[in-house]
């Protein structure tokens, strides 16, 4: 193909798409994101320290920033070798982290990469597959 100046155009570069595994690894190994999450954990710790002695406030903080260990245990979820608990109930897709959990960003990014979306249902959040449009 020639342009209007009669010299050849440069070849179109072939763009290799990253695999799902590569994209997931990029989320896990993103230093900027990890630093942001670390700061969020510190902020939550400060909020908990401030709320000491106020059980109502502690309960609200735990629901908002915490993890639903009861639902995880009911679903049979256990921590892995590193002590990390799963973000999602494998049986029904319920998000086990609170909506403001420090690492919920990683969960959202991971679910997006896997082709899922997070919806609200019955006061809880669930990860469900996106509906694909037929082309």
């Amino acid at each position: 193909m020639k342009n209007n100046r009669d010299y050849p155009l440069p070849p179109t570069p072939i763009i290799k798409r990253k695999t799902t595994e590569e994209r997931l690894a990029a989320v896990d190994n993103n230093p900027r994101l990890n630093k942001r999450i670390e700061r969020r954990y510190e902020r939550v710790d400060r909020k908990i320290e401030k709320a000491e002695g106020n059980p109502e406030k502690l309960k609200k903080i735990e629901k908002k920033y915490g993890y639903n260990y009861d639902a995880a245990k009911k679903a049979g979820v256990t921590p892995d070798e590193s002590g990390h608990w799963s973000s999602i109930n494998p049986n029904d897709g319920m998000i086990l982290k609170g909506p403001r959990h420090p690492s919920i960003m990683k969960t959202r990014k991971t679910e997006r990469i896997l082709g899922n979306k997070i919806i609200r249902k019955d006061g809880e959040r669930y990860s469900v597959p996106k509906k694909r449009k037929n082309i």
Side-chain angles (χ1 to χ4, degrees):
M1 179 175 167
K2 295 206 175 218
N3 59 18
N4 60 356
R5 296 199 178 152
D6 293 329
Y7 54 86
L9 292 172
T12 306
I14 297 173
I15 299 171
K16 182 183 174 247
R17 290 192 66 159
K18 290 183 179 179
T19 65
T20 302
E21 291 79 24
E22 290 171 330
R23 292 172 68 201
L24 291 172
V27 170
D28 279 340
N29 301 321
N30 183 331
R32 186 172 172 213
L33 179 62
N34 289 334
K35 194 170 196 166
R36 189 172 170 198
I37 289 170
E38 190 176 312
R39 285 193 310 262
R40 289 181 70 157
Y41 272 110
E42 291 168 3
R43 195 174 310 133
V44 171
D45 289 343
R46 285 194 305 269
K47 284 180 182 277
I48 290 171
E49 283 176 17
K50 266 179 124 174
E52 288 294 323
N54 187 343
E56 285 182 28
K57 196 163 190 169
L58 281 172
K59 190 175 179 181
K60 284 182 183 179
I61 290 171
E62 184 58 36
K63 184 167 176 55
K64 195 173 189 180
Y65 297 94
Y67 183 88
N68 191 342
Y69 289 102
D70 294 334
K73 289 173 184 172
K74 278 184 190 175
V77 174
T78 57
D80 61 14
E81 308 82 45
S82 68
H84 180 263
W85 288 74
S86 175
S87 302
I88 296 176
N89 179 335
N91 302 328
D92 61 4
M94 184 173 116
I95 306 292
L96 298 170
K97 293 179 178 178
R100 300 289 305 250
H101 188 280
S103 66
I104 194 70
M105 296 176 292
K106 270 191 180 181
T107 303
R108 285 190 200 118
K109 286 177 183 279
T110 300
E111 290 307 302
R112 202 174 311 129
I113 290 169
L114 294 173
N116 298 330
K117 65 179 180 176
I118 296 175
I119 62 165
R120 290 190 68 77
K121 181 174 135 186
D122 301 328
E124 297 293 341
R125 290 161 307 129
Y126 293 85
S127 174
V128 297
K130 287 181 185 175
K131 293 183 181 175
R132 299 187 182 233
K133 296 178 182 176
N134 291 338
I135 297 175

